Amino acid sequence: MQSNAALEYDYSLAKKFTFLTILFGFLGMLIGTLLAAQLAFPSLNYLLGEYGTFSRLRPLHTNIVIFGFTVSGIFATWFYIGQRVLKVSLKESKFLMTVGNIQFWLYFVGALLAVVSLLMGITESKEYAQFEWPFDIVVVIIWVLWGLNIMGLIGIRREKALYISVWYYLACFLGISMLYLFNNMALPTYFTSGGLGSFFHSVSMYSGTNDALVQWWYGHNAVAFGFTVPIVGMIYYFLPKESGQPVYSYKLSLLSFWGLLFVYLWAGSHHLMWSTVPDWMQTMGSVFSVLLILPSWGSAINMLLTMKGEWQQLTENPLIKFMILASTFYMLSTIEGPIQAVRSVNAIAHFTDWIIGHVHDGVLGWVVFMIMSAIYHMTPRMFKREIYSKKLIETQFWLQTTAVVLYFTSMWIAGITQGMMWRAVDEYGNLMYSFIDTVNALHPYYVIRTIAAIMYLAGFMMFMYNIYKTVTAGREIEEEPQFRTPIAA
Amino acid sequence: MFFRWIERNPFFMAAWISLVIAVAGLIEIVPDFAKAARPVEGLKPYTVLELAGKEVYKKDNCIACHSQLIRPFKSETDRYGDFSVSGEYAYDRPFLWGSKRTGPDLHRVGRYRTTVWHEAHMWNPPAVVPGSIMPAYRHMWKNAADIETAYAEAVTVKNAFHTPYGPGIRKGKEAWEKYKPTVLAQARKVAEEMKGTEGVSKEEVLKMIDSGKVPEIVALIAYLNRLK
């Protein structure tokens, strides 16, 4: 990865998607904070009439964070990284620019409509696949347009060998395509009933246990191809670029990439342990979840070792700090997941807040940290300005790191407490606690979690402010910085 | 080396990636598909009213806090009843197992809760169970459940998946108009068991039904009562 003096890249798409990443990130976290508060203080359910209950808002939170924030982040970084590692500019192809712009506007408008539809309660009710069929079709079109752009850019590339990041984006594109299509197979009832009822309603092609299997094959791997694969793709680009260090080991990259793709898909059934899916599938889910540690840690260790001999950068450069902590949370999360997939642990952990804790150390600690670092890295290069404030980044870093730790520790305790209380029996073998006892016990942890959420959100707002100030008032720079991102003290 | 080569040949790389990720799905999901879809003996499909209630359950997303899957542990069967078996879900499209129990499992709630209990509880949960953090769902008394769409769903699953509905469930407006009184009668039966709440009297609920609209709460209770 040498400097690319000769080529003028077109960042207009990357900028637009960066804007959406920030917008959706804020919205998603704001709603998440409200949800956390509602569980601690239920009277907060009635702020928006029927549209403001915990249950109506929860899919909004998950979908905005996944399909709004993360997917925008994936698009933004792709439109930045793609040109650079393939050594072509989007300027060279009118066609690809047009496709990209259509993708952007369709995505923007589609996302807003989808948000409204969820608020109205128009939903398929499958987790992370709530959108009803017309929105599914829009999602597919957007995705295909993005695919066209990836393939197109690859088609006109100058650099013949695809850099590691491109493998990951390619896998993200292909994986999500496959999962999304199969999981959302449904019949629109309006057309199959001779024009009766709601236009939006559909009924799943699969029923019961089958539906569960397909859904969690999807749900688990949406995490794989949305929250893991592309984010690893990002760190493979941004960490070496920011630190000026080459990726530690090519072999380890290979091993982790292909290992991840092969192993991840098998593990989906760990969401269905002790359920009515056949035992052998549950066992496969368990075994492959443990195997999954290898490729996950492979990537993370590869990143840590990339910093070999350059650890002082960790104290000097806040972006390196963000990225290294992101890798560390990734390691934590990918060891925690397999632990929860052990049958006996799963019996306690499933259905509890421990799972919520697991998701959030992954997403808050890994995904959001990585995407924010990417934006901090890209902004000065796209806008030719220095990052506005180092102090603000430092404060944000500590605030958010503390928040993540508070979040997952409180949810670990809450989850394990409740899991143990559900099964606790007295000396005669009778259940010791009524359900509501186990709810009341969680109140302090729900309060702590709410505080953590507010802290994290506050940190994100510092990030927003910092980026805003950078774009509008940051000191201008003439030469593109080669490695370390310039940050005003 | 294979990987060095494939890195320079994006088309083959894409094909190879697709293959590698498809394997697991093919091997894990496909083999047991037909078997898992078979209903237990005596299982009846949801009535149109119950389907409408299931739509309310989906719309207000009770799945965010409730599961419908009783695991085979003594602590669960003591609390909720017999553990769940695959064939019970044969007519569940989508499945509603959930993934989080902020509230208790509901797979057999129809065995131990009654219409009046639900009525009071959905109106104001902490009044029935002190300390409850479940939201009240009072809009369900005002909003009408979409029974026509529920009927459309019944028609669809009957024709597409051979769900055993009677001859009354057929395509088209005319068939629906003919069937609608059956749904209203089912709704009236549930509503007659209700007591009325401080905000909406029983008479108002009945009046709404007689005008051809089923309040969401009535459909929802019909659905919850069906979970046994």
Side-chain angles (χ1 to χ4, degrees):
Chain A
M1 289 195 298
Q2 323 88 342
S3 70
N4 314 292
L7 272 173
E8 268 287 323
Y9 297 114
D10 188 314
Y11 293 130
S12 58
L13 285 165
K15 284 180 189 170
K16 284 182 195 156
F17 279 112
T18 299
F19 165 71
L20 284 193
T21 311
I22 296 174
L23 176 74
F24 286 130
F26 176 68
L27 267 179
M29 290 177 210
L30 185 70
I31 299 176
T33 306
L34 176 61
L35 295 174
Q38 284 175 331
L39 290 183
F41 310 104
S43 57
L44 293 171
N45 275 292
Y46 312 112
L47 301 174
L48 295 166
E50 82 173 83
Y51 307 102
T53 58
F54 176 88
S55 51
R56 202 63 88 74
L57 290 179
R58 187 174 183 259
L60 229 61
H61 166 63
T62 52
N63 281 293
I64 292 178
V65 169
I66 299 170
F67 296 107
F69 170 74
T70 309
V71 169
S72 297
I74 295 169
F75 289 161
T77 51
W78 164 259
F79 284 114
Y80 179 91
I81 299 176
Q83 304 180 67
R84 294 177 152 249
V85 297
L86 296 170
K87 302 272 182 288
V88 288
S89 168
L90 276 166
K91 282 204 173 87
E92 297 171 53
S93 166
K94 259 219 164 62
F95 172 72
L96 290 182
M97 270 315 283
T98 315
V99 170
N101 275 307
I102 299 175
Q103 181 197 340
F104 173 79
W105 286 108
L106 199 61
Y107 173 81
F108 192 27
V109 177
L112 293 180
L113 290 177
V115 163
V116 173
S117 80
L118 289 181
L119 263 180
M120 312 227 325
I122 298 173
T123 169
E124 290 178 7
S125 211
K126 293 208 240 181
E127 287 182 84
Y128 330 123
Q130 278 98 346
F131 300 145
E132 268 293 1
W133 68 274
F135 302 103
D136 286 339
I137 292 175
V138 176
V139 171
V140 171
I141 296 174
I142 292 164
W143 206 249
V144 169
L145 290 174
W146 184 46
L148 220 65
N149 227 313
I150 300 180
M151 306 298 179
L153 217 51
I154 290 178
I156 56 172
R157 74 194 188 282
R158 293 201 182 77
E159 171 61 62
K160 285 302 163 212
L162 304 182
Y163 180 62
I164 308 171
S165 297
V166 180
W167 316 345
Y168 281 96
Y169 282 96
L170 200 58
C172 165
F173 167 71
L174 294 167
I176 299 272
S177 309
M178 196 184 298
L179 297 161
Y180 202 85
L181 278 180
F182 280 105
N183 190 45
N184 282 290
M185 288 293 166
L187 299 175
T189 55
Y190 181 82
F191 298 104
T192 49
S193 65
L196 291 176
S198 162
F199 173 77
F200 289 103
H201 186 61
S202 67
V203 53
S204 172
M205 298 270 275
Y206 322 109
S207 78
T209 302
N210 284 336
D211 201 36
L213 255 178
V214 179
Q215 158 64 22
W216 282 112
W217 170 76
Y218 164 84
H220 174 72
N221 294 306
V223 173
F225 290 94
F227 282 165
T228 307
V229 166
I231 314 296
V232 176
M234 286 176 205
I235 200 165
Y236 266 113
Y237 176 83
F238 290 110
L239 186 67
K241 209 50 192 165
E242 183 69 30
S243 63
Q245 294 277 96
V247 170
Y248 172 71
S249 156
Y250 173 77
K251 273 214 180 101
L252 200 51
S253 316
L254 262 186
L255 213 71
S256 321
F257 177 73
W258 294 104
L260 195 74
L261 292 199
F262 180 72
V263 177
Y264 222 121
L265 277 284
W266 295 85
S269 47
H270 68 208
H271 289 262
L272 299 169
M273 289 187 142
W274 303 106
S275 78
T276 64
V277 310
D279 275 344
W280 68 270
M281 287 183 203
Q282 300 183 25
T283 308
M284 293 287 245
S286 247
V287 172
F288 276 91
S289 299
V290 175
L291 281 179
L292 199 49
I293 298 175
L294 292 173
S296 310
W297 280 47
S299 296
I301 288 173
N302 207 2
M303 286 303 108
L304 296 183
L305 289 178
T306 293
M307 294 309 295
K308 205 173 63 166
E310 282 288 319
W311 286 104
Q312 81 285 355
Q313 288 197 26
L314 202 62
T315 50
E316 293 160 5
N317 185 347
L319 296 199
I320 298 288
K321 209 149 55 181
F322 262 114
M323 288 193 250
I324 291 302
L325 199 73
S327 301
T328 314
F329 274 125
Y330 178 53
M331 290 175 83
L332 171 75
S333 189
T334 50
I335 190 90
E336 184 187 16
I339 292 174
Q340 292 178 332
V342 174
R343 274 174 86 83
S344 54
V345 179
N346 188 270
I348 294 179
H350 192 52
F351 290 135
T352 74
D353 283 303
W354 187 8
I355 309 295
I356 313 294
H358 170 56
V359 177
H360 285 84
D361 50 57
V363 176
L364 298 175
W366 157 241
V367 179
V368 182
F369 271 25
M370 192 52 226
I371 290 179
M372 288 190 308
S373 325
I375 292 177
Y376 273 134
H377 177 97
M378 296 189 301
T379 302
R381 290 162 173 87
M382 297 193 295
F383 291 90
K384 310 228 169 352
R385 283 171 191 272
E386 201 176 67
I387 292 286
Y388 176 70
S389 162
K390 182 171 182 182
K391 233 201 217 129
L392 216 51
I393 302 191
E394 294 281 357
T395 319
Q396 177 205 344
F397 176 82
W398 289 111
L399 192 64
Q400 290 191 307
T401 303
T402 316
V404 180
V405 174
L406 271 182
Y407 193 116
F408 72 72
T409 45
S410 61
M411 289 301 100
W412 282 356
I413 303 174
I416 294 170
T417 303
Q418 198 177 30
M420 298 304 281
M421 284 177 87
W422 284 341
R423 57 161 58 187
V425 288
D426 64 16
E427 53 192 308
Y428 306 108
N430 296 318
L431 292 174
M432 274 172 68
Y433 301 103
S434 69
F435 194 89
I436 193 67
D437 294 338
T438 74
V439 177
N440 290 336
L442 304 184
H443 181 72
Y445 309 111
Y446 283 163
V447 175
I448 297 174
R449 192 246 307 257
T450 307
I451 295 169
I454 293 171
M455 286 166 65
Y456 198 91
L457 180 67
F460 194 77
M461 287 163 75
M462 289 178 189
F463 160 74
M464 291 166 71
Y465 179 75
N466 212 349
I467 294 294
Y468 170 76
K469 281 307 242 185
T470 302
V471 173
T472 54
R475 198 171 60 84
E476 292 188 32
I477 43 182
E478 266 145 44
E479 279 251 321
E480 184 184 292
Q482 197 169 355
F483 298 117
R484 185 173 169 172
T485 300
I487 303 175
Chain B
M1 187 178 124
F2 176 68
F3 292 105
R4 285 282 185 197
W5 174 79
I6 211 164
E7 245 173 72
R8 293 168 173 273
N9 291 277
F11 173 77
F12 290 100
M13 181 147 189
W16 183 244
I17 290 176
S18 306
L19 197 73
V20 169
I21 53 190
V23 180
L26 289 175
I27 297 182
E28 270 196 341
I29 299 181
V30 177
D32 278 284
F33 223 64
K35 209 167 83 205
R38 228 166 281 151
V40 288
E41 210 164 312
L43 186 72
K44 286 208 197 77
Y46 293 99
T47 66
V48 172
L49 183 66
E50 288 161 1
L51 281 180
K54 190 195 69 178
E55 278 317 301
V56 176
Y57 190 92
K58 279 169 60 188
K59 179 180 171 196
D60 265 305
N61 201 37
C62 312
I63 202 175
C65 289
H66 289 286
S67 60
Q68 288 189 26
L69 177 78
I70 302 166
R71 296 176 295 174
F73 312 143
K74 183 165 182 303
S75 57
E76 301 233 333
T77 52
D78 279 1
R79 197 183 288 279
Y80 305 117
D82 306 332
F83 64 83
S84 309
V85 298
S86 187
E88 295 179 274
Y89 299 109
Y91 301 131
D92 284 15
R93 293 171 193 272
F95 80 115
L96 292 168
W97 294 359
S99 60
K100 180 70 178 61
R101 273 185 197 155
T102 302
D105 190 274
L106 298 180
H107 195 207
R108 311 216 184 278
V109 73
R111 287 188 186 174
Y112 46 84
R113 298 290 183 214
T114 57
T115 300
V116 278
W117 193 91
H118 288 309
E119 184 188 18
H121 184 251
M122 295 302 293
W123 181 263
N124 190 9
V128 179
V129 181
S132 178
I133 59 170
M134 173 166 149
Y137 286 94
R138 297 187 184 173
H139 59 266
M140 289 183 184
W141 272 258
K142 273 187 244 120
N143 296 351
D146 193 348
I147 46 179
E148 184 173 324
T149 298
Y151 180 81
E153 181 173 323
V155 173
T156 305
V157 294
K158 181 186 176 192
N159 293 336
F161 311 117
H162 310 291
T163 306
Y165 282 106
I169 308 267
R170 279 175 293 118
K171 270 189 181 181
K173 266 267 178 297
E174 217 172 294
W176 162 235
E177 290 303 336
K178 235 171 118 187
Y179 194 82
K180 191 171 169 188
T182 315
V183 183
L184 294 176
Q186 288 165 349
R188 210 165 197 294
K189 228 172 114 195
V190 176
E192 269 160 12
E193 288 172 27
M194 289 164 73
K195 271 179 61 191
T197 63
E198 62 194 58
V200 185
S201 71
K202 177 173 177 170
E203 285 65 42
E204 285 170 274
V205 172
L206 286 172
K207 219 167 91 195
M208 189 160 164
I209 296 175
D210 291 339
S211 75
K213 288 198 184 112
V214 178
E216 285 183 332
I217 186 68
V218 174
L220 178 72
I221 292 179
Y223 172 67
L224 292 175
N225 286 342
R226 145 79 192 240
L227 297 173
K228 283 197 167 142

